[in-house]
Amino acid sequence: MQADTPTEPEALSPVCAAVLADRYLGPKETTRDQVFRRVAQALAAAEVPERRAHVASLFYGNMLLGAIGAGRIMANAGLARHATMVNCFVHPIVAPDAPVASLADIERALHQAQATLRMGGGVGYDFSSVAPVDARCARPNGATGGVCAVIDRFDQACRSLPLGDTRGGAQMAVLRCDHPDLGAFVAAKRGRKRWTTFNVSVAVTDAFMQAVADDAPWPLLHRAEPNAPLRAAGAYRLDNGSWCYATPPARHLWGLIVEGAHDSAEPGLLFIDTINAANDLADIETIAATNPCGEQPLPPWGSCVLGPIDLSRWVQWPFGVGGQPMFDFVGLGRAVQIQVRMLDNAIDITRWPQEEHMREARAKRRIGVGVTGLADALTMLCLPYDAPEARNMAAQIARCLRDNAYAASTALARERGPYPLFRAERSLAPGHFAAALPRAVRESIARHGLRNSHLLSLAPTGSVSLAFGDNCSSGVEPAFDWAYQRRVRIQHGPPQLYRIENRASRHFRALHGNHAALPGYFVKASQVSGLDHLRMVATLQPFIDASISKTVLISGGVSRAEVDALLFHAWRLRLKGITVFRPDTAADDVLAVLPTADGRPACGC
């Protein structure tokens, strides 16, 4: 039997009820069931009229089983709000093919960012086109002040918006590893509350990482407009039109990155060559940035609608009560196929902040089926999160997600047509993601195409895991703890402190009594080594066509050298990105013992 049956769950804990009411209940709604019915009906509106009632019933039943939309869907679907159902966006700073962002480009990008943030979307940007701080430009008022000054403006613009959502605006600033402002960018958030609406990441290339390995010099470059006297003292022009500002040792720059990651969890790293090499649309788009939490690498104007599935709901005989614990792959597969249809529908009925978003989304139809409660599911299966057996189970679950998502997308393509830019010879080419699918799915793709260019994205799921998952473990993270205190801000008031218990722990005690000792397979985040965090991401990544939001939680006593080794090993494992977090006991953390998140802005996923 399943851990839960498709009925309205037990009474919510105070914190789960507070988050539900604050972020997701619509007018006159008082229960999750009402949210599910509203969302299901709204998303079924994309169907032909005679099928809407049936499809709404499918979506509703799937939500009862733990397959929900991400935060923007659950908050906004079916309501008259001027809001979007899309969590993830990436905006360009510069016009296409322009080498340097002008002041006019930046003003336009600021206006576009504000419009998207107002509608509830989180936005990522690649700021590498912004001229360095010490660049000189012959045009009057042409200097931008450098990357950090420009990000200051975006941060202030976001903080000044009258956002009704208590999560606030979320942004991601990305800078390439060869930009002359790299040192200032990496140090900008250390020791002070600068860029509070931003996460920051460095886009590192394979060439840079190899230069670090070889202790080689690394040129800091910036392109200029043709024949423009854009320069800095000591800079010299290269044959390709770029200015070389300096050539420090790559290990010096790497040391700055490691120091920031160790001391303040920023910057994260995006292994940008790995991201682009793994992208099945690499011949028609170049990715330089991600959404604010990193699970969705996107091209300019790219976006993605997300929807996690609570894996803990698909464990049969949890903790071995009534039989050997097993995972219901058949049931999960059915849920994934319905989820694909629901998220595909969202593309057609959501409100779009910009016309460019809609055109890009409808040309490629990116969606992100994801998960939450992975750690709870493993615990219910009596598997310690950091054990090889747990990673083997996680791989089986991820394979189930992948195969069923692609099977559903090709079935939708047969019904509705493939995404407009689909080409079978591209998708099924050797080495591409779809080439590893089961033969029957590949044959169907060859005949009918794919409805969606990308289908899988493992996002953080903090607030929806509270409101709809009864505080199951978030995303693919290990459980923070089994019982702890958490500060939650409600209605823009001061944070309130709640006692909170993990869902798997609560289920175990319901079966065995409140005083039963938790078995050894109850492994919490602080017990998982940094290397085992990386191993879990490396296990999941081959089955995920977008990316994975995962924080590598490390103990307070870990040295910079150990962080250095972890970050470098993540590149060796061919991960798409990494963020580490070392708790600061002096900080006023969201959680009373150890943060579940890294203090970076929330995506609301």
Side-chain angles (χ1 to χ4, degrees):
M1 59 185 295
Q2 287 175 208
D4 289 279
T5 56
T7 59
E8 176 69 2
E10 63 189 59
L12 295 178
S13 67
V15 66
C16 294
V19 172
L20 175 70
D22 186 50
R23 303 187 184 187
Y24 301 111
L25 293 182
K28 299 182 180 179
E29 291 176 347
T30 59
T31 67
R32 287 182 290 190
D33 186 78
Q34 292 170 319
V35 176
F36 294 161
R37 291 183 187 278
R38 164 176 54 83
V39 172
Q41 185 174 2
L43 292 170
E47 305 287 336
V48 295
E50 60 270 22
R51 295 204 66 210
R52 287 174 186 167
H54 171 68
V55 173
S57 178
L58 288 177
F59 293 166
Y60 169 71
N62 222 30
M63 289 184 213
L64 288 176
L65 291 171
I68 60 173
R72 299 306 88 205
I73 290 176
M74 305 308 288
N76 298 327
L79 298 178
R81 296 170 178 163
H82 182 63
T84 183
M85 285 186 258
V86 184
N87 281 72
C88 306
F89 295 91
V90 161
H91 282 198
I93 298 296
V94 69
D97 301 323
V100 181
S102 67
L103 283 174
D105 289 328
I106 291 166
E107 292 298 331
R108 182 179 61 251
L110 268 170
H111 176 75
Q112 292 163 337
Q114 288 175 306
T116 299
L117 291 164
R118 279 193 195 97
M119 289 186 67
V123 188
Y125 323 83
D126 172 27
F127 286 99
S128 302
S129 61
V130 176
V133 66
D134 57 353
R136 299 177 188 144
C137 184
R139 295 191 304 270
N141 301 317
T144 62
V147 167
C148 294
V150 170
I151 298 174
D152 282 337
R153 295 190 61 194
F154 278 74
D155 182 57
Q156 174 59 36
C158 182
R159 286 188 284 113
S160 67
L161 290 175
L163 299 176
D165 192 331
T166 54
R167 73 191 178 103
Q171 304 184 89
M172 168 70 88
V174 178
L175 193 68
R176 281 182 57 90
C177 58
D178 54 5
H179 194 283
D181 284 355
L182 179 63
F185 175 80
V186 167
K189 294 186 73 173
R190 292 188 61 199
R192 51 182 169 153
K193 293 184 178 180
R194 189 177 185 183
W195 303 346
T196 56
T197 69
F198 271 96
N199 297 333
V200 300
S201 288
V202 177
V204 295
T205 62
D206 288 341
F208 173 76
M209 297 302 293
Q210 193 59 53
V212 173
D214 296 341
D215 196 16
W218 183 250
L220 297 177
L221 311 169
H222 200 262
R223 290 188 59 78
E225 295 177 359
N227 304 316
L230 182 66
R231 59 183 176 82
Y236 58 92
R237 200 178 188 101
L238 304 178
D239 291 341
N240 65 4
S242 297
W243 287 93
C244 181
Y245 282 67
T247 311
R251 286 189 183 173
H252 169 71
L253 299 170
W254 177 253
L256 297 178
I257 293 170
V258 170
E259 185 177 17
H262 175 270
D263 293 352
S264 60
E266 307 234 37
L269 294 182
L270 300 177
F271 299 112
I272 203 68
D273 289 341
T274 300
I275 287 172
N276 279 292
N279 180 17
D280 279 2
L281 297 185
D283 62 326
I284 60 171
E285 66 181 26
T286 299
I287 291 174
T290 73
N291 74 311
C293 286
E295 75 275 8
Q296 199 63 51
L298 294 165
W301 298 117
S303 62
C304 189
V305 287
L306 305 175
I309 300 174
D310 182 356
L311 297 176
S312 69
R313 306 286 291 276
W314 302 99
V315 176
Q316 300 172 317
W317 302 292
F319 310 113
V321 175
Q324 180 70 23
M326 298 177 63
F327 193 85
D328 182 4
F329 290 101
V330 174
L332 176 64
R334 285 195 299 264
V336 169
Q337 296 198 29
I338 296 171
Q339 191 83 329
V340 166
R341 188 179 197 97
M342 186 180 82
L343 296 180
D344 187 68
N345 284 5
I347 293 172
D348 293 323
I349 65 172
T350 189
R351 297 175 179 89
W352 293 100
Q354 318 280 340
E355 184 73 20
E356 294 91 339
H357 294 145
M358 183 176 70
R359 287 200 299 266
E360 172 70 18
R362 292 184 176 175
K364 300 168 186 173
R365 306 192 69 85
R366 272 180 166 91
I367 64 173
V369 177
V371 302
T372 192
L374 172 64
D376 278 10
L378 296 174
T379 303
M380 290 176 172
L381 291 164
C382 306
L383 298 173
Y385 183 92
D386 54 355
E389 297 81 4
R391 291 192 290 273
N392 179 60
M393 175 57 67
Q396 293 180 60
I397 291 170
R399 186 187 301 274
C400 178
L401 290 171
R402 180 198 67 182
D403 294 354
N404 282 280
Y406 273 78
S409 187
T410 188
L412 271 180
R414 181 175 56 190
E415 175 186 338
R416 298 175 171 177
Y419 68 89
L421 296 180
F422 172 79
R423 287 195 299 111
E425 60 272 24
R426 176 205 295 133
S427 291
L428 296 173
H432 279 218
F433 189 84
L437 293 166
R439 181 176 178 178
V441 180
R442 286 185 281 115
E443 289 175 349
S444 182
I445 292 171
R447 287 194 302 270
H448 306 296
L450 283 166
R451 180 67 173 167
N452 316 94
S453 68
H454 296 71
L455 286 133
L456 301 147
S457 180
L458 301 186
T461 58
S463 60
V464 292
S465 293
L466 280 169
F468 304 107
D470 301 315
N471 193 37
C472 65
S473 58
S474 178
V476 298
E477 302 287 354
F480 161 68
D481 207 336
W482 310 116
Y484 53 98
Q485 290 184 316
R486 178 169 182 159
R487 291 182 180 87
V488 178
R489 187 183 301 276
I490 303 296
Q491 290 296 321
H492 298 283
Q496 301 178 39
L497 194 62
Y498 292 88
R499 184 187 184 279
I500 192 167
E501 187 174 6
N502 167 267
R503 188 169 184 270
S505 170
R506 195 167 62 252
H507 195 85
F508 180 86
R509 296 196 186 283
L511 294 170
H512 295 282
N514 289 332
H515 300 292
L518 297 178
Y521 52 76
F522 274 80
V523 175
K524 57 187 180 181
S526 60
Q527 297 171 312
V528 178
S529 72
L531 188 56
D532 281 325
H533 280 281
L534 293 186
R535 286 171 174 149
M536 181 59 81
V537 180
T539 294
L540 297 167
Q541 188 64 78
F543 303 101
I544 305 300
D545 54 15
S547 193
I548 302 169
S549 179
K550 175 81 178 69
T551 297
V552 177
L553 202 61
I554 53 180
S555 68
V558 166
S559 68
R560 289 178 183 170
E562 290 171 292
V563 172
D564 184 323
L566 272 176
L567 296 180
F568 204 86
H569 191 61
W571 174 63
R572 293 289 193 203
L573 287 173
R574 308 308 294 170
L575 304 187
K576 293 183 179 180
I578 180 175
T579 299
V580 301
F581 180 74
R582 185 178 62 90
D584 179 0
T585 55
D588 184 21
D589 292 322
V590 172
L591 305 182
V593 182
L594 196 67
T596 55
D598 52 13
R600 293 146 69 94
C603 294
C605 298

PDB file of all heavy atoms in Angstrom, residues 383-395:
ATOM      1  N   LEU A 383      16.872   3.178   3.675  1.00  0.00           N
ATOM      2  CA  LEU A 383      18.155   3.397   3.011  1.00  0.00           C
ATOM      3  C   LEU A 383      18.772   4.701   3.500  1.00  0.00           C
ATOM      4  O   LEU A 383      18.170   5.768   3.332  1.00  0.00           O
ATOM      5  CB  LEU A 383      17.964   3.466   1.488  1.00  0.00           C
ATOM      6  CG  LEU A 383      17.404   2.220   0.815  1.00  0.00           C
ATOM      7  CD1 LEU A 383      17.122   2.507  -0.664  1.00  0.00           C
ATOM      8  CD2 LEU A 383      18.390   1.057   0.942  1.00  0.00           C
ATOM      9  N   PRO A 384      19.951   4.693   4.108  1.00  0.00           N
ATOM     10  CA  PRO A 384      20.606   5.940   4.499  1.00  0.00           C
ATOM     11  C   PRO A 384      20.937   6.775   3.259  1.00  0.00           C
ATOM     12  O   PRO A 384      21.424   6.253   2.250  1.00  0.00           O
ATOM     13  CB  PRO A 384      21.889   5.471   5.197  1.00  0.00           C
ATOM     14  CG  PRO A 384      21.656   4.029   5.529  1.00  0.00           C
ATOM     15  CD  PRO A 384      20.736   3.504   4.482  1.00  0.00           C
ATOM     16  N   TYR A 385      20.679   8.080   3.330  1.00  0.00           N
ATOM     17  CA  TYR A 385      20.857   8.975   2.178  1.00  0.00           C
ATOM     18  C   TYR A 385      22.248   8.865   1.565  1.00  0.00           C
ATOM     19  O   TYR A 385      22.407   8.963   0.341  1.00  0.00           O
ATOM     20  CB  TYR A 385      20.592  10.411   2.624  1.00  0.00           C
ATOM     21  CG  TYR A 385      20.662  11.451   1.528  1.00  0.00           C
ATOM     22  CD1 TYR A 385      19.529  11.830   0.834  1.00  0.00           C
ATOM     23  CD2 TYR A 385      21.871  12.078   1.215  1.00  0.00           C
ATOM     24  CE1 TYR A 385      19.582  12.796  -0.163  1.00  0.00           C
ATOM     25  CE2 TYR A 385      21.940  13.041   0.227  1.00  0.00           C
ATOM     26  CZ  TYR A 385      20.795  13.404  -0.468  1.00  0.00           C
ATOM     27  OH  TYR A 385      20.860  14.358  -1.462  1.00  0.00           O
ATOM     28  N   ASP A 386      23.258   8.671   2.393  1.00  0.00           N
ATOM     29  CA  ASP A 386      24.632   8.684   1.902  1.00  0.00           C
ATOM     30  C   ASP A 386      25.177   7.302   1.564  1.00  0.00           C
ATOM     31  O   ASP A 386      26.378   7.143   1.322  1.00  0.00           O
ATOM     32  CB  ASP A 386      25.552   9.367   2.914  1.00  0.00           C
ATOM     33  CG  ASP A 386      25.458   8.768   4.314  1.00  0.00           C
ATOM     34  OD1 ASP A 386      24.607   7.878   4.538  1.00  0.00           O
ATOM     35  OD2 ASP A 386      26.244   9.194   5.189  1.00  0.00           O
ATOM     36  N   ALA A 387      24.319   6.293   1.523  1.00  0.00           N
ATOM     37  CA  ALA A 387      24.768   4.928   1.219  1.00  0.00           C
ATOM     38  C   ALA A 387      24.723   4.664  -0.284  1.00  0.00           C
ATOM     39  O   ALA A 387      23.877   5.220  -0.998  1.00  0.00           O
ATOM     40  CB  ALA A 387      23.883   3.911   1.939  1.00  0.00           C
ATOM     41  N   PRO A 388      25.615   3.812  -0.808  1.00  0.00           N
ATOM     42  CA  PRO A 388      25.558   3.451  -2.231  1.00  0.00           C
ATOM     43  C   PRO A 388      24.204   2.893  -2.637  1.00  0.00           C
ATOM     44  O   PRO A 388      23.731   3.146  -3.759  1.00  0.00           O
ATOM     45  CB  PRO A 388      26.669   2.404  -2.372  1.00  0.00           C
ATOM     46  CG  PRO A 388      27.622   2.699  -1.254  1.00  0.00           C
ATOM     47  CD  PRO A 388      26.779   3.191  -0.128  1.00  0.00           C
ATOM     48  N   GLU A 389      23.553   2.145  -1.748  1.00  0.00           N
ATOM     49  CA  GLU A 389      22.239   1.580  -2.070  1.00  0.00           C
ATOM     50  C   GLU A 389      21.201   2.678  -2.270  1.00  0.00           C
ATOM     51  O   GLU A 389      20.288   2.540  -3.092  1.00  0.00           O
ATOM     52  CB  GLU A 389      21.783   0.632  -0.950  1.00  0.00           C
ATOM     53  CG  GLU A 389      22.656  -0.586  -0.752  1.00  0.00           C
ATOM     54  CD  GLU A 389      23.911  -0.314   0.068  1.00  0.00           C
ATOM     55  OE1 GLU A 389      24.080   0.826   0.567  1.00  0.00           O
ATOM     56  OE2 GLU A 389      24.730  -1.248   0.208  1.00  0.00           O
ATOM     57  N   ALA A 390      21.328   3.770  -1.521  1.00  0.00           N
ATOM     58  CA  ALA A 390      20.408   4.898  -1.689  1.00  0.00           C
ATOM     59  C   ALA A 390      20.637   5.574  -3.030  1.00  0.00           C
ATOM     60  O   ALA A 390      19.681   5.961  -3.726  1.00  0.00           O
ATOM     61  CB  ALA A 390      20.588   5.896  -0.550  1.00  0.00           C
ATOM     62  N   ARG A 391      21.892   5.718  -3.431  1.00  0.00           N
ATOM     63  CA  ARG A 391      22.167   6.329  -4.738  1.00  0.00           C
ATOM     64  C   ARG A 391      21.684   5.429  -5.867  1.00  0.00           C
ATOM     65  O   ARG A 391      21.192   5.915  -6.897  1.00  0.00           O
ATOM     66  CB  ARG A 391      23.659   6.637  -4.865  1.00  0.00           C
ATOM     67  CG  ARG A 391      24.105   7.769  -3.945  1.00  0.00           C
ATOM     68  CD  ARG A 391      25.499   8.254  -4.282  1.00  0.00           C
ATOM     69  NE  ARG A 391      26.537   7.281  -3.953  1.00  0.00           N
ATOM     70  CZ  ARG A 391      27.122   7.190  -2.763  1.00  0.00           C
ATOM     71  NH1 ARG A 391      26.750   7.989  -1.763  1.00  0.00           N
ATOM     72  NH2 ARG A 391      28.075   6.293  -2.538  1.00  0.00           N
ATOM     73  N   ASN A 392      21.792   4.139  -5.686  1.00  0.00           N
ATOM     74  CA  ASN A 392      21.265   3.219  -6.697  1.00  0.00           C
ATOM     75  C   ASN A 392      19.753   3.369  -6.832  1.00  0.00           C
ATOM     76  O   ASN A 392      19.209   3.403  -7.949  1.00  0.00           O
ATOM     77  CB  ASN A 392      21.625   1.777  -6.337  1.00  0.00           C
ATOM     78  CG  ASN A 392      21.082   0.786  -7.335  1.00  0.00           C
ATOM     79  OD1 ASN A 392      21.407   0.825  -8.513  1.00  0.00           O
ATOM     80  ND2 ASN A 392      20.229  -0.122  -6.883  1.00  0.00           N
ATOM     81  N   MET A 393      19.057   3.498  -5.709  1.00  0.00           N
ATOM     82  CA  MET A 393      17.607   3.708  -5.756  1.00  0.00           C
ATOM     83  C   MET A 393      17.289   5.064  -6.391  1.00  0.00           C
ATOM     84  O   MET A 393      16.352   5.187  -7.196  1.00  0.00           O
ATOM     85  CB  MET A 393      17.021   3.620  -4.345  1.00  0.00           C
ATOM     86  CG  MET A 393      15.526   3.945  -4.260  1.00  0.00           C
ATOM     87  SD  MET A 393      14.471   2.907  -5.307  1.00  0.00           S
ATOM     88  CE  MET A 393      14.674   1.310  -4.475  1.00  0.00           C
ATOM     89  N   ALA A 394      18.053   6.093  -6.030  1.00  0.00           N
ATOM     90  CA  ALA A 394      17.827   7.418  -6.619  1.00  0.00           C
ATOM     91  C   ALA A 394      18.001   7.380  -8.129  1.00  0.00           C
ATOM     92  O   ALA A 394      17.249   8.030  -8.870  1.00  0.00           O
ATOM     93  CB  ALA A 394      18.786   8.436  -5.998  1.00  0.00           C
ATOM     94  N   ALA A 395      18.977   6.611  -8.609  1.00  0.00           N
ATOM     95  CA  ALA A 395      19.178   6.479 -10.054  1.00  0.00           C
ATOM     96  C   ALA A 395      17.989   5.793 -10.713  1.00  0.00           C
ATOM     97  O   ALA A 395      17.546   6.187 -11.804  1.00  0.00           O
ATOM     98  CB  ALA A 395      20.461   5.708 -10.332  1.00  0.00           C
TER      99      ALA A 395
END
